[in-house]
Amino acid sequence: ENLKDFIHELKGLNNIESLLKDKLGIEKVIVVPGDVEQDPMIKKELGKSAANYLKTIINYDSIIALTGGSTVLEVANGMPQLYSKSNIVVVPARGGLGREVEKQANTIASILAKKLGGTYKMLHVPDNLGKETVKSLIKEPDIKDVVETLKKADILIFGIGRADVMAERRNLPQDIRDFLEKNNATAEALGYYFDKEGKVVYATPSIFLTLEDLKFVKNLIAVSGGKGKAEAIVSTCRSGNVQVLVTDEGASFEILKIV
Ligand code: G3H
């Protein structure tokens, strides 16, 4: 840890953090050295840093909501194992993505809950459902229970992706991809697609935690790194849904060129 602090200071990352915080207009920025796109180990560092921050805000009875993705997975992996029991509940903010089960919010919620001695809830809903199906699903008791818990979350940890990459990963139909492109969508987070200014361009129908709900979540923590995600990170910050950003040096330098 001492070595980490030393490198952090040596690289001037403290200054970059406070510069980014001001430019992005958010509460806190944590920057780890390196770039996740250059070295996969950096994603683990990003996760560990976010987990360390998380430890400072978690309460005995916190409700933690989280999204899927390889970065949020590293937050759960980076959390040390607690050996006492807690009343912490971890809930997925999204259903499955039709992608690898290892990176789905459900799986990550179970990993993090076990680390924290708490419990978890599951949201067994595919990502590519139509609006009507989602509306009727929400009335199902099992799903209703998870959604009600979600809306009481005091902490939300989420990933940020590039709109084009996420549209591809989620296998969105061509007409929606064209729509995203035409409307200059740059970012995807929590099922929402944002443009450069942070305006919502498109919302995935299977959203259970809405932007309206986020206003009541005390801690909104985005974890996202890599030079190629800089624009997506800026857009999501501009949408007003980020309080704390945990990112890497690669994204940071690129962000400073934009803002
Ligand atoms: O919404 C964004 C994605 O979940 C980010 O996924 O961390 O694997 O790039 P990733």
Side-chain angles (χ1 to χ4, degrees):
E1 280 309 303
N2 280 346
L3 179 65
K4 269 192 199 169
D5 288 345
F6 176 74
I7 292 173
H8 198 267
E9 201 180 333
L10 191 70
K11 289 193 149 199
L13 294 182
N14 298 17
N15 296 339
I16 291 181
E17 285 170 350
S18 76
L19 195 60
L20 276 175
K21 176 177 89 83
D22 294 344
K23 296 241 180 187
L24 293 170
I26 62 177
E27 283 170 26
K28 188 178 176 67
V29 177
I30 298 167
V31 178
V32 301
D35 185 321
V36 297
E37 284 162 23
Q38 307 289 327
D39 177 358
M41 282 307 289
I42 304 298
K43 207 172 264 185
K44 295 202 180 299
E45 292 302 324
L46 202 59
K48 259 190 235 160
S49 264
N52 274 335
Y53 174 71
L54 206 56
K55 281 195 283 180
T56 67
I57 56 163
I58 287 179
N59 287 316
Y60 178 76
D61 55 359
S62 276
I63 298 176
I64 306 173
L66 49 75
T67 64
S70 59
T71 317
V72 177
L73 172 63
E74 292 305 342
V75 181
N77 287 339
M79 182 63 79
Q81 179 69 53
L82 301 186
Y83 291 99
S84 50
K85 292 270 161 264
S86 71
N87 282 338
I88 293 169
V89 183
V90 188
V91 271
R94 308 289 330 274
L97 278 188
R99 61 167 143 165
E100 307 104 293
V101 74
E102 289 81 4
K103 292 172 194 162
Q104 285 180 12
N106 281 318
T107 314
I108 305 175
S110 75
I111 297 173
L112 187 62
K114 281 177 200 150
K115 291 274 182 84
L116 297 172
T119 56
Y120 57 85
K121 292 182 187 259
M122 299 276 96
L123 197 52
H124 292 299
V125 180
D127 201 52
N128 50 358
L129 295 175
K131 249 199 176 100
E132 291 311 311
T133 318
V134 173
K135 252 195 216 156
S136 65
L137 265 178
I138 283 185
K139 294 183 195 130
E140 290 291 323
D142 278 4
I143 295 178
K144 201 170 161 214
D145 171 61
V146 183
V147 175
E148 274 167 11
T149 309
L150 252 182
K151 294 189 193 292
K152 286 187 282 192
D154 55 319
I155 298 172
L156 169 66
I157 311 158
F158 64 100
I160 297 173
R162 292 167 54 113
D164 53 353
V165 172
M166 293 311 292
E168 167 111 33
R169 212 185 271 178
R170 288 182 181 160
N171 240 328
L172 293 191
Q174 194 55 47
D175 58 327
I176 297 180
R177 285 194 217 193
D178 293 344
F179 178 82
L180 289 174
E181 210 183 310
K182 216 176 91 208
N183 289 280
N184 305 313
T186 48
E188 187 281 341
L190 295 150
Y192 289 94
Y193 289 80
F194 302 105
D195 69 9
K196 256 190 182 142
E197 276 73 49
K199 211 175 84 229
V200 177
V201 167
Y202 175 73
T204 315
S206 59
I207 285 173
F208 297 96
L209 191 65
T210 64
L211 294 185
E212 197 52 41
D213 296 327
L214 295 197
K215 294 183 183 146
F216 302 99
V217 181
K218 246 197 309 188
N219 301 281
L220 301 171
I221 308 161
V223 192
S224 185
K227 193 176 170 188
K229 280 193 183 178
E231 197 176 31
I233 294 170
V234 172
S235 302
T236 309
C237 287
R238 285 185 178 151
S239 79
N241 298 295
V242 180
Q243 288 169 350
V244 177
L245 171 68
V246 187
T247 188
D248 64 9
E249 212 182 341
S252 295
F253 286 125
E254 206 58 27
I255 291 171
L256 288 174
K257 290 185 199 161
I258 308 174
V259 293

